[in-house]
Amino acid sequence: MASLESLTEDLLVRIYKGLASDGDRKSWRLVCRDFHRIDALTRSSLRVLRVEFLRSLLANYPRLDTLDLSVCPRIDDGAVAVLLTSRGSPWAFPRAASSSLSPPGRDPLAWTRGLRKLVLSRSTGLGHHGLEQVIRACAYLESVDVSHCCGFGDREAAALSCGARLREVKMDKCLGVTDVGLAKIAVGCGRLEKVSLKWCMEIGDLGVDLLCNKCVDLKFLDLSYLKVTNDSLRSIGSLPKLEVLALVGCSLIDDTGLQFLGGGCPLLRVIDMSRCNGISSCGLISVAKGHEDLVQLNASYSLTECSSILLRCFKDLKNLNAIKIDGARVSDSAFKALSNCTSLVEIGLGKCIGATNLGLMRLVSGCVNLRVLDLTCCHSITDAAIFAISDSCRNLTCLKLESCNMITEKSLYYLGSFCLLLEELDLTDCGGINDTGLEYLSNCLELSCLKLALCPTISDKGLGHIASKCRKICEIDLYRCNGIGDDALAALSSGCKKLRRLNLSYCSDVTDRGMEYLGQLEELWDLEMRSLFNVTGVGLMALAAGCKRLADLDMKYCENVDDSGFWALAYYARNLRQEAKLVHLNKVTVEGFELALRTCWVRIKKVKLLAALRFKLSSDVRETLHSRGCKIRWD
Amino acid sequence: MDLKMDLEERLRAETWGKPSSVNDLPQRVPPDRQTQFPNFASHKNLQKREDQDPSISNYGMRIEPSFSEFNRPSECQPPLPSNPISQDRGVQMNDILQLGKTQEWDPKAMLNNLSFLEQKIHQLQELVHAIVGRRGPVLGRPDELVAQQQQLITADLTSIIIQLISTAGSLLPSVKNSLSSASTPPIRQLGQLGGILNNSGSGIGLDSNLVLPSQGGSKVPDQSNQVDPMDQSAIDNLEDHESKDDEDGDEGENLPPGSFEILQLEKEEILAPHTHFCTICGKGFKRDANLRMHMRGHGDEYKTPAALAKPHKEAGSEMMLIKRYSCPYAGCKRNKDHKKFQPLKTILCVKNHYKRTHCDKSYTCSRCNTKKFSVIADLKTHEKHCGKDKWLCSCGTTFSRKDKLFGHITLFQGHTPAIPFDENKGGLSLQGEHNEDTNKVGNVSFSFGSSTPSSGGVQNIMEDVKGNVDDPSSFFSPLSFEASNFGGFNEFTRSAFDDSEGAFSFLLQASCNYTQKNGGQSSSNNLE
């Protein structure tokens, strides 16, 4: 320890800053008091699970600039009021640990002055009074995220507009916000640079027009799924600094509107127009001609026909590195034209009619720098195309081959031989894949995400190869892989310690033993295990005891799970909070549900239960869940 | 060629050929030369004759008489008082002179100026006629001659325009006192002259830029004769229609000053509820037509078609005037002494303008209790839409349409849309019926001044006060309530805005002002 003590504080800070993951930082905190202090002094962002500790945490971290309350299930007006009182609250938080670290006379609201970013995503319990209090208290706030607060409306928007310094507002899926609310924000926060209004279905042209008039510094604008028309694009075209524009699913805009874009927004670099049914190649040409510095262009599922003229236009865009034209009809000559865009790094060709072996070969002959290639549902491509791709594009990191039925283990051989940087591979529904193929693939040591759903031909053996070599894997999808059993899970649990997401639904061979193996995966976060008949309460108990981080659990139709498993789940899974789907569990009694819910209800946000339980569950359980902000879906 | 030389010499001989001397025109024309009318009439006759003349090919025939006419005005200086028309007019003119004794401008001089100008236009017209007549058959004329002719005509036109403007300029500031529109036919005549001159002047001004001045010149009299009746009828239409936009309607009309007659009604006259009075029983009417209908009751002599016909119609063809009105309020842009005077087109415009701009807004909307009007028609128009103004700005302005609100917000820095509290919409329809009733009462019993439609509003205020006792933002002075008499209004329906406390506190204030002003007298006295 003497050597550790000799390290000066700033050296420790430098070391601390090298820590990448939350887990490592947690370990660091636990080393000793000095390390804990370094953590406290250096830490700039905080993501809180429990609102009970928030006050003391805020007092302990003076450098905090980012506060994330998105996983705090119930932050409401009352909690905010208590948080913002300058005196000690009547229901005093445990401050014993913090009092030794923080000077006693410090202003308990000091954190409000340092805070720059506040994430209140999914804070459905917060009302406009509380929100306004927070925004007013944090005078230097620059970024606020209230996305997925579905109940938010104009009043909440008005509360946000109190933050005059705000540069970034994210309000995706605030369903109640109308043009009026947006006008409030536009007038109140004139410095806005990033605004995301995705799924704010009530917002229309007038609001957008006003926003563009009042907030001329806008750099990022997301209007996805809004009912905006060309009028909005006309106003958007007048924004001098806009760089990123997302118009996903704006079906009311057409080529005329895109001409406004083509003539305006001189700095536009990224534009996403996917699922805009009204646009055609003509509109895209006007956009492409107006913006030579375009970097990303997403027009997936917008075009029915992708003309060669359009693709030739792309040649002039020297910086273009990503283009998505999923769903369009593409000819071989178009591929030829596209191959001239040597700067391309990412191409999306999902569901493109006419994406053939020949076309792809032409494409990759030019675009050798490709890293991401999406060939979802290009049914006609075969191993030959994969050979050409892997041979030309050695830097490929992501390849999506979902539903490419013609490819076989040869393709995986090519990938395993040439594309050693591959990180993500989607082989969903590729019936030609077998264990040999997976063995070839295991050469791709960087692999982190592997989707093998609906590949019934693979077995424990093949997955064993992957698990033994691809140690970086954090996500595996084995949905309906009937050949998978407990041995595969054993291999995964020993090889892929970083696994965070796993889908085992309908892998009916998995038993309690497999669950025990899974219990060794400490990082496991999201587990889907529908319809595993052979798993009982014992297996669930083992899982719950081991996977402390488990947050999302789907155990629909696990009919043999009984109360004992539930109790264990309730006891151990302290983090289980966001979603639990607990339906069709015949053996679990009402008491079991009640117990589980009672223990979890502080944290749980969303639960899906069988409709029959509605009347069986005691009313106070339901009411308490409700009052804590938990959503119950009855199935 | 001789003809042409002759022309030129004559023109040179005339004083008006020198554009430099236009300003001392009044000295040149003796003030007592009142008798230009017979000349004018004869010119008109001549013109008619020429137009009807079928022998167009006989140019010599046409030119000769025109020249004799041309020379006459300047040669026969002594007037011809034998003309009965001129005598008649002279008498009227004397009346005018007596009327305008106190004023500093001399209508005689003005008349002379105008007559003089008219004379010159006719001379020019005939000159152009002559040119037209000669150009047709003799195509082989040298170009320089044509150019000379053009120069000549252009110079003449320029001098006419300059004189016209200077005349107008001398006229404008001098018109001050009000002259009743009905009692001033000579002034109308004068204005008509001015109008003709103006029209012809502008016609020349326009055409002088073109290559063919002859066309413009020959057109002039026709144009003036045609345009004026149209104007007159247009004004009639306006009066009939009771247009509301009258004030703004004439913004674009660019009548040069002096080209129209300016009338100014006195304040009392403007605010008088009735303008037409029965000579027998003294009953007053707003419209002349109503008076005529009323007159039928006084005897059969008033039932004849002639008595029932519109009185001004037959005069319209002869007395073609452009009448414009001045607001009696000093300093108003519509006042004739204003630097950028913009005249009002009709008497109705004057009335509405005066009430809107210079009178208290005594009619308060009983629905919103915030909008006030001084013209009852405005109130009615507003009430048609009131309640539909659900788009509210933070500044208190309401809009019936969302895009209007957003346009407003775009325009004004710092304004934001106000988020309405949940309103009770139920009371609105009832409230509307009630309003109509009270409006009717108001129309029947009071034509002017404070009236009743606001009585519902009074009730609203009372209700609002009850609802807002604990709201600090809606402060009321209880005195203002006691000052106004609310007796007998308890049967009225509750306000639509009962439960909208904070958002409408400003409305309450406004309505409070209203009650202080005239709520008591109007409502309590008149509704029983």
Side-chain angles (χ1 to χ4, degrees):
Chain A
M1 279 314 279
S3 59
L4 264 182
E5 276 165 14
S6 66
L7 287 171
T8 59
E9 205 166 80
D10 53 330
L11 275 177
L12 282 176
V13 168
R14 289 186 78 165
I15 296 167
Y16 173 82
K17 281 184 175 168
L19 299 177
S21 74
D22 279 346
D24 294 343
R25 278 196 285 269
K26 188 176 182 183
S27 310
W28 168 282
R29 277 201 294 279
L30 297 174
V31 171
C32 64
R33 188 164 285 178
D34 277 344
F35 277 36
H36 190 279
R37 198 166 60 87
I38 294 297
D39 176 63
L41 289 177
T42 321
R43 194 178 175 111
S44 66
S45 75
L46 187 64
R47 183 177 155 105
V48 191
L49 283 179
R50 299 197 182 191
V51 73
E52 304 93 284
F53 306 129
L54 187 54
R55 202 179 154 92
S56 56
L57 283 171
L58 289 173
N60 282 349
Y61 292 104
R63 294 278 180 91
L64 221 51
D65 63 14
T66 304
L67 179 61
D68 185 347
L69 299 172
S70 61
V71 289
C72 236
R74 185 74 184 179
I75 174 119
D76 55 18
D77 291 2
V80 166
V82 171
L83 208 59
L84 294 174
T85 48
S86 48
R87 286 169 292 125
S89 64
W91 46 291
F93 289 111
R95 298 194 56 168
S98 60
S99 57
S100 61
L101 291 167
S102 59
R106 210 170 63 190
D107 181 5
L109 291 179
W111 61 275
T112 57
R113 289 187 284 280
L115 209 61
R116 296 287 180 273
K117 181 172 182 174
L118 181 62
V119 182
L120 291 167
S121 181
R122 296 176 205 277
S123 301
T124 44
L126 201 61
H128 63 277
H129 288 301
L131 192 61
E132 188 172 337
Q133 272 183 300
V134 173
I135 302 287
R136 284 195 188 280
C138 305
Y140 298 95
L141 207 59
E142 289 180 352
S143 165
V144 68
D145 179 354
V146 291
S147 53
H148 299 280
C149 298
C150 302
F152 274 22
D154 290 343
R155 279 167 216 292
E156 285 77 11
L160 284 183
S161 70
C162 300
R165 287 170 180 264
L166 281 177
R167 292 176 189 276
E168 181 178 356
V169 170
K170 192 172 179 188
M171 39 199 297
D172 299 357
K173 215 171 182 178
C174 292
L175 296 175
V177 177
T178 68
D179 288 337
V180 171
L182 184 59
K184 281 268 182 201
I185 291 176
V187 173
C189 321
R191 302 187 190 176
L192 280 179
E193 289 172 8
K194 288 182 82 174
V195 176
S196 181
L197 303 170
K198 203 171 178 177
W199 289 305
C200 296
M201 308 297 276
E202 300 295 320
I203 288 177
D205 287 333
L206 286 173
V208 174
D209 181 50
L210 189 73
L211 181 72
C212 297
N213 267 314
K214 296 282 181 184
C215 306
V216 288
D217 293 335
L218 275 180
K219 290 179 180 164
F220 175 101
L221 185 59
D222 189 343
L223 301 177
S224 300
Y225 302 100
L226 263 56
K227 286 177 229 153
V228 292
T229 67
N230 294 337
D231 292 341
S232 286
L233 290 185
R234 190 200 306 263
S235 337
I236 290 167
S238 67
L239 289 172
K241 298 179 182 172
L242 194 71
E243 292 172 9
V244 183
L245 177 63
L247 297 166
V248 182
C250 298
S251 48
L252 298 178
I253 61 171
D254 58 29
D255 293 345
T256 323
L258 293 186
Q259 279 173 356
F260 295 129
L261 277 189
C265 301
L267 300 179
L268 194 67
R269 288 189 297 111
V270 179
I271 181 162
D272 187 346
M273 295 174 289
S274 42
R275 297 177 199 280
C276 297
N277 299 323
I279 65 172
S280 74
S281 294
C282 292
L284 285 182
I285 289 171
S286 57
V287 171
K289 289 203 168 155
H291 301 97
E292 291 191 353
D293 296 330
L294 210 61
V295 175
Q296 282 183 38
L297 183 98
N298 188 345
S300 35
Y301 307 109
S302 296
L303 305 173
T304 49
E305 182 79 42
C306 195
S307 67
S308 303
I309 308 166
L310 172 63
L311 295 176
R312 270 196 286 279
C313 271
F314 291 154
K315 197 180 70 177
D316 300 329
L317 310 176
K318 297 298 176 206
N319 296 322
L320 191 68
N321 65 27
I323 172 170
K324 289 182 186 168
I325 48 170
D326 305 45
R329 180 187 295 275
V330 191
S331 64
D332 286 349
S333 63
F335 279 117
K336 181 78 184 161
L338 199 56
S339 70
N340 291 321
C341 306
T342 49
S343 59
L344 279 178
V345 170
E346 180 177 354
I347 297 182
L349 295 168
K351 299 192 182 177
C352 277
I353 303 158
T356 59
N357 281 345
L358 187 66
L360 283 172
M361 283 176 194
R362 282 183 173 172
L363 176 70
V364 296
S365 68
C367 305
V368 291
N369 299 317
L370 279 185
R371 289 174 193 274
V372 181
L373 185 58
D374 184 354
L375 297 172
T376 303
C377 295
C378 294
H379 301 289
S380 64
I381 65 164
T382 65
D383 294 335
I386 304 298
F387 173 73
I389 290 166
S390 50
D391 190 33
S392 310
C393 313
R394 302 288 174 107
N395 294 327
L396 209 63
T397 58
C398 173
L399 183 61
K400 291 182 180 170
L401 297 170
E402 183 182 337
S403 212
C404 295
N405 296 312
M406 314 263 279
I407 65 167
T408 67
E409 74 266 17
K410 279 188 196 163
S411 292
L412 298 190
Y413 173 75
Y414 301 133
L415 288 174
S417 310
F418 302 125
C419 300
L420 299 180
L421 299 175
L422 204 62
E423 289 172 15
E424 188 181 346
L425 183 61
D426 187 349
L427 295 170
T428 304
D429 203 12
C430 292
I433 303 299
N434 56 21
D435 289 344
T436 328
L438 290 184
E439 189 179 352
Y440 295 136
L441 188 65
S442 63
N443 284 329
C444 301
L445 301 180
E446 299 292 321
L447 214 56
S448 70
C449 173
L450 184 60
K451 294 188 175 170
L452 298 167
L454 296 163
C455 295
T457 48
I458 60 166
S459 70
D460 294 348
K461 200 176 139 203
L463 211 59
H465 290 298
I466 297 287
S468 63
K469 293 173 81 174
C470 306
R471 303 266 168 161
K472 294 188 175 175
I473 278 189
C474 63
E475 179 178 355
I476 289 194
D477 184 358
L478 297 170
Y479 176 84
R480 285 190 197 270
C481 289
N482 295 328
I484 294 295
D486 293 337
D487 292 338
L489 298 187
L492 280 179
S493 63
S494 61
C496 309
K497 287 289 183 190
K498 305 242 175 195
L499 199 64
R500 286 163 58 87
R501 288 171 177 271
L502 180 62
N503 190 341
L504 284 176
S505 298
Y506 304 100
C507 298
S508 45
D509 290 348
V510 174
T511 67
D512 285 346
R513 192 166 63 89
M515 286 293 120
E516 280 169 34
Y517 290 128
L518 285 186
Q520 297 168 22
L521 294 170
E522 289 182 1
E523 299 275 328
L524 198 64
W525 174 278
D526 178 0
L527 178 63
E528 234 181 86
M529 43 179 285
R530 288 187 185 187
S531 196
L532 299 187
F533 299 109
N534 298 322
V535 174
T536 67
V538 182
L540 193 61
M541 192 193 296
L543 179 79
C547 304
K548 296 273 171 54
R549 287 174 171 265
L550 201 60
D552 295 351
L553 180 65
D554 184 347
M555 44 190 293
K556 224 172 167 178
Y557 297 109
C558 287
E559 293 179 346
N560 287 318
V561 171
D562 55 16
D563 282 358
S564 63
F566 249 69
W567 293 338
L569 195 65
Y571 181 75
Y572 289 111
R574 291 197 192 130
N575 285 329
L576 186 65
R577 42 160 225 279
Q578 287 202 338
E579 289 183 60
K581 292 171 186 160
L582 311 170
V583 283
H584 299 288
L585 304 169
N586 292 340
K587 284 201 175 175
V588 180
T589 62
V590 176
E591 288 77 26
F593 274 117
E594 282 208 0
L595 180 73
L597 292 174
R598 274 176 199 279
T599 45
C600 295
W601 66 32
V602 189
R603 307 172 298 271
I604 207 154
K605 282 204 110 170
K606 208 163 156 186
V607 67
K608 194 172 178 183
L609 295 168
L610 205 60
L613 279 173
R614 187 169 198 155
F615 307 103
K616 291 182 187 165
L617 279 181
S618 67
S619 60
D620 69 309
V621 171
R622 274 189 286 144
E623 277 166 21
T624 318
L625 277 174
H626 218 73
S627 68
R628 299 230 172 218
C630 175
K631 257 192 202 165
I632 308 180
R633 255 187 77 186
W634 304 99
D635 204 31
Chain B
M1 199 60 197
D2 287 340
L3 204 77
K4 192 218 146 215
M5 286 308 290
D6 184 27
L7 240 177
E8 275 186 75
E9 277 171 14
R10 279 170 200 273
L11 286 171
R12 295 260 157 78
E14 293 291 325
T15 49
W16 65 296
K18 301 166 196 163
S20 59
S21 62
V22 286
N23 284 332
D24 44 4
L25 181 81
Q27 282 81 16
R28 215 172 285 265
V29 183
D32 53 347
R33 268 183 71 189
Q34 298 177 15
T35 51
Q36 297 304 322
F37 291 108
N39 280 330
F40 174 46
S42 65
H43 267 293
K44 271 185 129 175
N45 292 338
L46 171 77
Q47 191 61 40
K48 234 179 191 174
R49 194 148 49 90
E50 276 182 0
D51 286 342
Q52 288 162 353
D53 193 358
S55 60
I56 304 171
S57 57
N58 191 354
Y59 296 101
M61 283 294 284
R62 289 193 65 200
I63 291 163
E64 278 313 313
S66 73
F67 267 93
S68 64
E69 284 297 320
F70 175 74
N71 292 333
R72 214 201 292 169
S74 53
E75 282 162 1
C76 45
Q77 289 288 343
L80 304 169
S82 59
N83 195 329
I85 303 172
S86 83
Q87 252 181 345
D88 183 28
R89 277 178 187 156
V91 170
Q92 283 173 352
M93 187 59 72
N94 285 335
D95 289 345
I96 298 299
L97 288 175
Q98 278 165 358
L99 266 175
K101 243 177 201 168
T102 49
Q103 302 157 14
E104 60 258 35
W105 74 289
D106 187 3
K108 247 202 260 177
M110 178 61 64
L111 192 62
N112 281 329
N113 287 354
L114 294 176
S115 314
F116 190 71
L117 275 170
E118 188 195 11
Q119 193 183 342
K120 279 193 280 185
I121 287 170
H122 276 282
Q123 287 172 353
L124 184 63
Q125 179 192 3
E126 276 156 16
L127 168 65
V128 172
H129 259 298
I131 293 166
V132 170
R134 264 173 301 149
R135 188 180 282 174
V138 196
L139 284 168
R141 287 234 174 247
D143 283 345
E144 53 148 340
L145 217 155
V146 178
Q148 270 181 341
Q149 285 176 348
Q150 282 180 10
Q151 270 181 350
L152 187 69
I153 290 162
T154 314
D156 291 345
L157 289 173
T158 315
S159 79
I160 288 176
I161 291 164
I162 291 169
Q163 283 184 16
L164 195 63
I165 290 170
S166 73
T167 311
S170 69
L171 173 73
L172 174 68
S174 59
V175 179
K176 201 182 262 171
N177 217 342
S178 72
L179 296 165
S180 168
S181 63
S183 64
T184 57
I187 293 283
R188 268 191 210 176
Q189 186 64 37
L190 184 68
Q192 180 205 356
L193 278 173
I196 292 167
L197 287 171
N198 168 55
N199 277 330
S200 50
S202 68
I204 290 163
L206 275 175
D207 287 344
S208 62
N209 294 331
L210 299 174
V211 195
L212 287 176
S214 58
Q215 264 190 354
S218 64
K219 250 187 205 170
V220 169
D222 301 340
Q223 202 179 19
S224 61
N225 286 339
Q226 284 166 9
V227 168
D228 280 349
M230 274 168 67
D231 271 1
Q232 189 62 39
S233 65
I235 290 164
D236 285 344
N237 285 341
L238 261 175
E239 276 168 335
D240 291 343
H241 192 250
E242 293 198 1
S243 146
K244 280 211 182 117
D245 304 334
D246 39 31
E247 275 191 49
D248 306 322
D250 57 350
E251 293 288 353
E253 178 196 64
N254 234 334
L255 284 179
S259 67
F260 47 84
E261 170 196 17
I262 296 171
L263 303 173
Q264 183 168 290
L265 278 70
E266 283 308 319
K267 182 189 165 194
E268 289 73 25
E269 229 175 325
I270 292 172
L271 296 181
H274 299 140
T275 47
H276 306 277
F277 293 93
C278 174
T279 49
I280 296 167
C281 66
K283 189 174 180 188
F285 295 91
K286 279 184 179 176
R287 294 166 203 268
D288 186 49
N290 292 351
L291 173 62
R292 275 178 271 137
M293 291 299 116
H294 163 84
M295 292 307 279
R296 291 182 304 174
H298 285 304
D300 284 341
E301 67 266 36
Y302 298 107
K303 290 180 181 171
T304 59
L308 288 172
K310 253 190 175 181
H312 300 308
K313 267 303 171 198
E314 76 276 11
S317 58
E318 203 176 331
M319 306 184 194
M320 291 162 302
L321 293 175
I322 299 185
K323 269 186 292 176
R324 289 297 179 264
Y325 298 86
S326 159
C327 169
Y329 194 92
C332 174
K333 199 181 181 184
R334 306 298 196 166
N335 183 268
K336 59 184 186 295
D337 292 337
H338 192 275
K339 215 185 283 175
K340 294 176 180 175
F341 171 55
Q342 284 193 311
L344 294 152
K345 265 187 181 168
T346 66
I347 296 174
L348 194 80
C349 297
V350 177
K351 288 188 171 188
N352 282 343
H353 160 79
Y354 193 83
K355 285 188 202 167
R356 281 177 187 145
T357 322
H358 310 299
C359 290
D360 285 340
K361 298 185 173 180
S362 47
Y363 304 107
T364 307
C365 174
S366 54
R367 292 198 206 181
C368 63
N369 273 328
T370 181
K371 291 264 186 184
K372 296 192 207 164
F373 304 92
S374 45
V375 177
I376 199 157
D378 292 354
L379 172 70
K380 283 181 189 167
T381 311
H382 163 79
E383 279 184 335
K384 271 181 208 159
H385 304 284
C386 185
K388 293 172 192 163
D389 288 5
K390 53 181 179 172
W391 300 104
L392 184 65
C393 178
S394 56
C395 69
T397 320
T398 54
F399 299 87
S400 57
R401 279 167 55 181
K402 190 178 176 186
D403 54 336
K404 299 294 176 198
L405 168 66
F406 275 71
H408 169 85
I409 288 165
T410 313
L411 207 59
F412 293 99
Q413 285 291 325
H415 288 208
T416 64
I419 298 168
F421 286 81
D422 299 328
E423 294 174 26
N424 170 23
K425 300 247 164 97
L428 271 179
S429 59
L430 255 176
Q431 192 74 22
E433 289 172 20
H434 166 70
N435 283 338
E436 278 169 22
D437 289 343
T438 52
N439 280 344
K440 275 176 207 158
V441 174
N443 283 342
V444 172
S445 52
F446 315 101
S447 52
F448 174 71
S450 60
S451 82
T452 48
S454 43
S455 55
V458 173
Q459 176 65 15
N460 289 345
I461 296 157
M462 291 185 74
E463 294 289 344
D464 281 335
V465 172
K466 281 175 199 160
N468 287 324
V469 174
D470 52 346
D471 190 346
S473 61
S474 61
F475 46 88
F476 276 89
S477 95
L479 280 173
S480 69
F481 278 103
E482 281 159 7
S484 51
N485 183 1
F486 287 93
F489 287 109
N490 293 329
E491 74 271 21
F492 289 136
T493 51
R494 277 176 69 90
S495 154
F497 294 95
D498 276 345
D499 50 351
S500 54
E501 287 136 14
F504 292 97
S505 52
F506 60 93
L507 304 184
L508 299 174
Q509 254 179 288
S511 56
C512 182
N513 292 337
Y514 162 73
T515 54
Q516 280 174 320
K517 213 176 280 169
N518 57 3
Q521 45 151 346
S522 70
S523 48
S524 61
N525 297 334
N526 303 326
L527 248 194
E528 285 166 351

